[in-house]
Amino acid sequence: MSPLADSDLKGYLVYASDCPENNVLSPIRHWFGCLATAVRYLHLNQIRHRDIKPGNILVHNRQVLLVDFGLAWDWKDAKSSTTSTYCACTRPYAAPEVIRSMKRDTSSDIWSLGCVYFEMATVLKGKRISDLRDFFIKRSDSYHFYNNDSGIAAWIDDMTSLSRVDNKPFLWASKMLQENRRDRPSAATLVSLINDQKAVTKSGTLYIGRCCQSTSQKLIGISAACGRCGRPVASKVKLLSPKERVC
């Protein structure tokens, strides 16, 4: 029996930092779109993952698999995706509203995915995750994202000033890591942003794998997830921002 995966994303990012060769870094660029497409699929099917982190993303044959649905919430029989009861979480990647046991919905998954994006983008810039965490700790005594609003902005400034290559992922992550959950893009909007032809590297590489391009393009224009409740809504003309959607 062959193994399910070669490693998880957490281990792969460490490996990529130790061996920053193009054939190792290149797949990371594709995974931004693939992960967004996976989360979009979950939300369209009224499922919140609730524990997105590098350790729950497997890497196999240069593709990524989102796994471990032990904390997932299926709201098909509920009125909306919003909950407020306590739920176990992985604190470094948990959204502020989750940590504070406040109302949360699909946008909490977006925050967690934004944390993952942030770490992926950091490695693409030639830095280690440990560098990022040390940077956060010096500013707030904590490496958890929800404790580092100013640290997130400062790190983005530092990384994007290094070069003009691979800056797009930091732009997406900054939108996803908004304190107010209503200001974060839905997974549908995120997929649309990544599929934008302007979102390419200097060499012309898209930030989405071929395995996911056809899937995401089929989904775009057919339906979108409401930015407030997460339910599928018709959107044949364009994908609306969270502020434009009304339940």
Side-chain angles (χ1 to χ4, degrees):
M1 180 180 294
S2 60
L4 176 62
D6 306 316
S7 70
D8 58 24
L9 181 59
K10 179 179 179 180
Y12 191 95
L13 293 178
V14 173
Y15 170 67
S17 296
D18 293 336
C19 185
E21 299 177 3
N22 185 59
N23 66 322
V24 177
L25 295 175
S26 181
I28 296 176
R29 295 188 177 95
H30 298 158
W31 296 340
F32 290 101
C34 291
L35 289 171
T37 301
V39 174
R40 185 180 195 275
Y41 177 83
L42 291 180
H43 291 178
L44 285 173
N45 284 277
Q46 296 174 257
I47 296 173
R48 279 169 44 203
H49 188 281
R50 303 206 294 188
D51 196 24
I52 296 174
K53 59 183 179 181
N56 282 342
I57 298 169
L58 300 184
V59 178
H60 184 57
N61 290 335
R62 298 169 70 89
Q63 296 180 346
V64 282
L65 307 169
L66 184 58
V67 298
D68 193 350
F69 290 82
L71 297 179
W73 164 252
D74 184 336
W75 80 89
K76 290 185 179 68
D77 296 323
K79 292 182 178 180
S80 76
S81 70
T82 304
T83 56
S84 58
T85 56
Y86 171 78
C87 177
C89 64
T90 304
R91 294 181 72 87
Y93 302 94
E97 63 271 15
V98 175
I99 296 297
R100 299 165 188 157
S101 295
M102 298 170 65
K103 287 185 178 181
R104 72 215 66 144
D105 51 23
T106 53
S107 61
S108 300
D109 276 350
I110 297 300
W111 172 283
S112 298
L113 184 60
C115 298
V116 174
Y117 275 22
F118 209 90
E119 294 189 348
M120 291 165 60
T122 292
V123 171
L124 286 177
K125 285 292 188 177
K127 300 295 183 179
R128 297 176 179 274
I129 305 303
S130 58
D131 296 330
L132 169 62
R133 293 187 171 185
D134 288 344
F135 183 85
F136 279 173
I137 290 172
K138 288 179 181 178
R139 301 179 70 93
S140 69
D141 293 326
S142 169
Y143 65 84
H144 299 172
F145 281 89
Y146 70 86
N147 269 336
N148 281 283
D149 280 349
S150 62
I152 288 171
W155 186 260
I156 290 176
D157 287 343
D158 286 356
M159 293 300 100
T160 54
S161 67
L162 293 175
S163 72
R164 300 177 66 179
V165 179
D166 291 321
N167 286 340
K168 281 282 187 179
F170 279 115
L171 173 62
W172 302 326
S174 68
K175 295 177 182 292
M176 300 160 76
L177 296 175
Q178 293 296 309
E179 177 81 12
N180 187 334
R181 61 187 175 90
R182 295 183 181 276
D183 292 336
R184 300 169 202 157
S186 68
T189 299
L190 186 59
V191 170
S192 181
L193 288 172
I194 295 173
N195 271 286
D196 188 328
Q197 290 302 309
K198 295 179 181 178
V200 297
T201 64
K202 187 175 181 180
S203 61
T205 303
L206 285 169
Y207 285 99
I208 186 170
R210 292 181 179 179
C211 56
C212 300
Q213 286 181 42
S214 59
T215 301
S216 60
Q217 289 295 345
K218 287 178 182 178
L219 288 171
I220 291 176
I222 297 177
S223 60
C226 173
R228 294 185 179 177
C229 70
R231 292 183 182 278
V233 294
S235 178
K236 294 183 178 181
V237 178
K238 67 175 182 175
L239 293 173
L240 303 178
S241 68
K243 292 183 179 179
E244 290 178 295
R245 300 191 192 106
V246 178
C247 295

